Amino acid sequence: MNPRRSYAAGTGLFILLGFAALAYLATQTTSLVNFESGPSYDVTAEFTNIGGLKDRAPVKLAGVRVGTVKSIVLDQKSMDAKVTMAIADRYDQIPEDSYAKIMTSGLLGDQFISLSPGGSPTNLKNGSVLDNTQSALQLEDLIGKFLTGSGGGKSSSSNKP
Amino acid sequence: MSASATANRDPAADPLVQVRGLTAVLSGKTVFDALDLDIARGSVTAIMGPSGTGKTTLLKHITGQMHGAAGQVLVDGQDVVRLPREGLYRLRKRIGYLFQNSALLTDYDVFENVAFPLRAHARLPEDLIRNVVLTKLQAVGLRGAARLLPSELSGGMARRVALARAIVFDPMLILYDEPFVGLDPIALNQVLKLIRTLNQELGITSVLVAHEFEAVREAADHVHLIAGGKRVASGAPEDLVRADSPWTAQFFGGALEGPVPFQYPAPPLARDFGFVGATA
Amino acid sequence: MKQFVARVFDPLLDGLADVGRTGWFFIGLLLALPRGLTYPRELLRQIWFVGAKSLIIIMISGLFVGMVLSLQLYYTLSIFGGTSALGTVIALSLYRELGPVVTALLFAGRAGTAITAEVGLMRATDQLSAMEMMAVDPLAFVASPRFLAGLIAMPLLVAVFNMMGLFGGHLVGVTWLGIDNGTFWSNMTGNVSVWKDVISGEWKALAFGALVSLIAVYQGYSAPPTSEGVANATTRTVVSSSIAILALDFVLTAFLM
Ligand SMILES: Nc1ncnc2c1ncn2[C@@H]1O[C@H](COP(=O)(O)OP(=O)(O)OP(=O)(O)O)[C@@H](O)[C@H]1O
Ligand SMILES: [Mg+2]
């Protein structure tokens, strides 16, 4: 082959490889993976405490990812956190009275919303509200409970030494 | 209008290169001491002189690669010292320069070296470039070596490639720094013929730095002899050998003793060898 | 005493003067850069020399760095019972710090020295003067393409290095040490951000690429035209680049991340 053309070809290959690697890193190893791309419907739930839950955290049912946390705002009337989730359209058979719970993957891992299916015949649809929720487990409360040996009363959660 | 004016002008009165009072000091050594010198349009002018006298340095001053401490260098009416970069480069596009050490671009093969000025300055179709380059290579007898790299050439071949590169643009002025070095008699004759042809057929003004007097006698109309930072003799080659100046007599006779120093300026031999200290 | 002061301060002053001269050279280079873009073929050739030819060393080094990182971090994380975060920690260390810095150091040794030696030799054999005589500005034809090639090649090399590092880390962490594959990736994708980690690392790569190729070209350009001069310039390229990379890394990390 013409030596000048083979230069150009090799250079082109190198540039392609570099950009491919960059694209791989950016899309496959970062939180971009968690972007739900397909069509989805919105469901809201209120929690008294969301702990460390963040935007774009996964929503799982039976450990399977079904959606993404879309937004988290404070509802100033109830003083609760209002979480909007985007659930993928293909999961349209989730009972309306399902139970939403904020969980942690591992002891120090990330927080996500776990759905436990209820028994209602009607299913979640766009705009549905999940009434049954359980807030994030606070490590501090847990340790407090553990130290006092019994259920955490109001006194044990205040900052007494 | 200006063309006819140029044609009517006496070439001796309107030299292409005018050096006036050029003084240059390099590393404390005065290489030129108020040098005056003219190169007539359309001539082949040889610059001769002992080794280390500043012939290469003179060519570098003419092309603006070096600037003297004082004096003026005019090329085609332009003062190369005062010329801004753009103007200098525009001037250089019309000057061919053969480096004493060839200075080929080692990354490129022979063909690309010769094509380099063409590609850099003119958007020419590839087959035209090919034709021009191969014609010039043919003229120096190296058309067959077009795809060799500079590292694969002998010294004499490299000089001929550098020569082809210097003439590829058919410039108005070509400066040859020792074009005959390392050439066998056949190649030397060919290069000699080439220099004359370029001058006679295209009217290219040529400046020739060379030590080979036989070749200079064949090619040059005019010779400047430089020694000790000054022009010591000028004239047609035939007149110069016959002139009874001590400079020419010594230089062309090759005598060790005379006004042209063979030694680079140095303190007396005795002092370098330490005898002065011993006797004092 | 005076001698002692001179011995300490002379090299310091020399170094400072070198920085200053490099700065002036940089300004000239920037002015020549637009004209340098008129030689795209030369730029392509330099990307080949500077980038493509550094690929093998970058890939192998990346693989080993990732493997070592995996071993070390696994040990550290297991103290806290946090080995599920291994993927995250490997990715963050690579993207934010080790990728750009190690690649830049290797780049200085592999490509920087080659640039300095080549340009220095071009100066010594009058090739740069020959170009000037042919009315081609060596700043535009020689310096600019090499500088731009470094600027373009470095971020790409860093991406390749990071990818290989990730594979090396995955190989050790998942295949040998038995961390769950799903945990390795999902923990990573949960915690690594595109802009704050991947792209900010690439900014560093860009800065280091500019720095190393500037130093390399300048050293070659200003090398005395002797074998010793070129040899010394090559050494200086490695030493100055390495110090400059590490110092700039600190500044960039402190102010940009
Ligand atoms: N860059 C430089 N720095 C210091 N001195 C120089 C430099 N270049 C040339 N010289 C000195 O200038 C003088 C003239 O050198 P030049 O190369 O012009 O000689 P020359 O007449 O071409 O000799 P030759 O016939 O051997 O080629 C020499 O004495 C040389 O030592
Ligand atoms: Mg000379």
Side-chain angles (χ1 to χ4, degrees), chain C residues 95-144:
Chain C
Y95 296 175
R96 298 174 68 102
E97 207 52 59
L98 290 173
V101 171
V102 176
T103 307
L105 292 174
L106 291 170
F107 185 76
R110 167 69 185 74
T113 52
I115 291 175
T116 303
E118 194 194 8
V119 177
L121 222 61
M122 290 173 95
R123 156 83 63 216
T125 53
D126 271 348
Q127 293 184 50
L128 298 184
S129 311
M131 283 179 196
E132 281 188 38
M133 266 319 297
M134 293 185 273
V136 170
D137 184 1
L139 269 182
F141 187 81
V142 174
S144 300

Side-chain angles (χ1 to χ4, degrees), chain A residues 42-58:
Chain A
D42 288 356
V43 170
T44 53
E46 298 206 340
F47 296 90
T48 47
N49 190 337
I50 55 159
L53 190 73
K54 290 189 224 107
D55 277 5
R56 281 191 264 124

Side-chain angles (χ1 to χ4, degrees), chain B residues 50-59 97 100-101 177-178 209 211:
Chain B
S51 181
T53 202
K55 301 179 296 294
T56 301
T57 309
L58 176 63
L59 297 189
Y97 192 106
Q100 188 166 4
N101 57 358
D177 198 350
E178 315 223 351
V209 170
H211 292 298

Side-chain angles (χ1 to χ4, degrees), chain B residues 184-270:
Chain B
D184 61 68
I186 304 167
L188 190 147
N189 255 327
Q190 198 190 7
V191 169
L192 202 58
K193 226 169 70 194
L194 184 69
I195 293 174
R196 267 204 319 250
T197 314
L198 286 169
N199 172 251
Q200 283 163 8
E201 287 177 9
L202 301 175
I204 299 173
T205 310
S206 307
V207 177
L208 183 62
V209 170
H211 292 298
E212 298 80 352
F213 186 67
E214 280 315 309
V216 167
R217 199 211 292 258
E218 290 248 342
D221 313 319
H222 202 81
V223 178
H224 291 302
L225 183 60
I226 298 179
K230 286 191 183 303
R231 181 167 55 93
V232 292
S234 296
E238 298 308 327
D239 302 342
L240 224 55
V241 244
R242 271 186 269 107
D244 48 0
S245 130
W247 294 94
T248 50
Q250 190 211 343
F251 187 71
F252 295 117
L256 281 180
E257 301 295 328
V260 182
F262 167 67
Q263 291 285 347
Y264 191 87
L269 199 57

Side-chain angles (χ1 to χ4, degrees), chain B residues 60 63 65 85 89-90 92-93 95 97 99 101 103-108 112-113 116-117 119-121 123 165, chain C residues 35 38-39 41-42 45-46 49 118 122 124-138 141 146:
Chain B
K60 288 189 172 170
T63 51
Q65 297 176 70
R85 210 191 60 95
Y89 274 20
R90 219 173 306 125
R92 282 178 180 175
K93 285 181 197 170
I95 301 179
Y97 192 106
F99 274 79
N101 57 358
L104 296 178
L105 309 181
T106 44
D107 280 355
Y108 297 95
E112 289 300 323
N113 261 284
F116 188 85
R119 291 200 199 285
H121 299 307
R123 291 228 163 273
R165 182 177 68 178
Chain C
R35 272 175 291 132
T38 56
Y39 306 109
R41 189 187 293 160
E42 193 59 18
R45 230 166 61 89
Q46 291 306 325
F49 277 119
E118 194 194 8
M122 290 173 95
T125 53
D126 271 348
Q127 293 184 50
L128 298 184
S129 311
M131 283 179 196
E132 281 188 38
M133 266 319 297
M134 293 185 273
V136 170
D137 184 1
F141 187 81
R146 282 166 177 77

